[in-house]
Amino acid sequence: MKARLAASAALALGLALGASGCSMLTYQATTEHYDASDGVSLDVGDLQLRNVLVVSEDGEDGNLIMTVVNNGDDDVELGVQFGEGGGDVQTIDIEAGSTVAFGVDAAESEEQLEPLLLEGIDTQPGALLTMYFQYGDAEGIDKQVPVLDARLPEYADLAP
């Protein structure tokens, strides 16, 4: 009787470990951040830039599409450059505690602005455009931003 009880307990323990052991030992992909859309994301100081992408028809000019969240207590002037050698800096004013959407449909609580025109990107749709984002004393970040065309319906009206 004791042998049967011990065997049942061992079997129950083995089943419990077998059923739960995978989650103890296996890598959990859900703990990793990923960009669930076509664009890329980055953080520059107190700013969170989400779903950053460029829409272009001809690869010469493109519209910068993104949402910027300023979690800081200060208004900032975000500088944006594109290309390997830098180039002209476009600046964008972002108020403290605000969320600003450039070229995308914004929720009612967000400010929505037109896309930012980038002239002379010289990057064909399907490729990546090197961009640099920086403000104030925050460390700037280089990021490879996807360049898409207007084939998808959600980008049809966003090409320059």
Side-chain angles (χ1 to χ4, degrees), residues 4-77:
R4 220 182 239 180
L5 186 58
S8 296
L11 181 60
L13 181 62
L15 286 173
L17 285 175
S20 64
C22 290
S23 63
M24 290 190 314
L25 304 173
T26 304
Y27 168 76
Q28 297 296 310
T30 57
T31 62
E32 297 295 322
H33 170 78
Y34 72 98
D35 295 311
S37 188
D38 297 325
V40 295
S41 298
L42 61 138
D43 295 337
V44 180
D46 290 331
L47 298 182
Q48 296 176 349
L49 284 69
R50 298 295 179 248
N51 200 30
V52 181
L53 59 99
V54 175
V55 178
S56 176
E57 278 300 322
D58 56 8
E60 292 301 317
D61 298 330
N63 280 334
L64 178 62
I65 312 297
M66 66 180 171
T67 299
V68 181
V69 180
N70 184 353
N71 291 320
D73 296 328
D74 298 319
D75 296 351
V76 298
E77 189 173 89

Side-chain angles (χ1 to χ4, degrees), residues 97-140:
S98 68
T99 299
V100 182
F102 293 91
V104 295
D105 291 333
E108 291 179 23
S109 62
E110 298 175 330
E111 181 180 356
Q112 180 178 348
L113 300 174
E114 292 296 316
L116 301 170
L117 180 62
L118 304 176
E119 295 182 277
I121 62 171
D122 195 28
T123 305
Q124 290 300 312
L128 298 172
L129 174 65
T130 301
M131 298 195 70
Y132 181 74
F133 301 89
Q134 196 271 335
Y135 75 90
D137 293 335
E139 184 176 342

